[in-house]
């Protein structure tokens, strides 16, 4: 029997409900922690406004590049990229 891989799903640029500044710090901390811990997830799925985390100018590109370099699949929703006009603007 093989075990299923680990997949995280992010649906917003922030984590949790409440203050968006705190939520942005939390998502940054989450991504930096994933980048330095083992085992790594197999994939991270980004949809809705979370696709902005992958775009040029995102403050979270460094840990995302580290995850990508480590073989983590970073999967962005194409419909969401189109909605936010980010097609061709993904940095990682």
């Amino acid at each position: 029997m093989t075990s299923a891989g680990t997949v995280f799903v992010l649906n917003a640029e922030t984590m949790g409900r409440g203050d968006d500044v705190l939520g942005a710090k939390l998502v940054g901390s989450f991504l930096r922690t994933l980048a330095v811990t083992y085992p790594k997830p197999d994939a991270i799925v980004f949809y809705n406004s979370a696709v902005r985390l992958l775009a040029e100018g995102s403050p979270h590109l460094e840990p995302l590049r580290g995850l990508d370099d480590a073989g983590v699949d970073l999967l962005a929703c194409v419909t969401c990229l189109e909605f936010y006009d980010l097609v061709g603007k993904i940095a990682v």
Side-chain angles (χ1 to χ4, degrees):
M1 174 182 215
T2 61
S3 62
T6 302
V7 177
F8 288 100
V9 178
L10 296 177
N11 66 354
E13 295 174 84
T14 61
M15 293 187 96
R17 294 179 189 247
D19 188 86
D20 285 342
V21 173
L22 174 60
K25 288 181 181 183
L26 292 173
V27 80
S29 293
F30 175 73
L31 293 171
R32 285 189 306 277
T33 299
L34 280 182
V36 298
T37 58
Y38 295 93
K40 302 271 189 262
D42 293 298
I44 305 173
V45 176
F46 298 81
Y47 76 98
N48 207 326
S49 68
V51 296
R52 292 178 175 164
L53 297 169
L54 301 167
E56 299 165 353
S58 167
H60 307 295
L61 293 178
E62 184 178 336
L64 288 168
R65 284 188 180 117
L67 289 162
D68 185 48
D69 290 345
V72 177
D73 290 325
L74 305 177
L75 308 170
C77 165
V78 174
T79 301
C80 302
L81 293 174
E82 291 169 347
F83 180 84
Y84 289 108
D85 192 30
L86 293 175
V87 174
K89 298 175 184 172
I90 296 302
V92 63

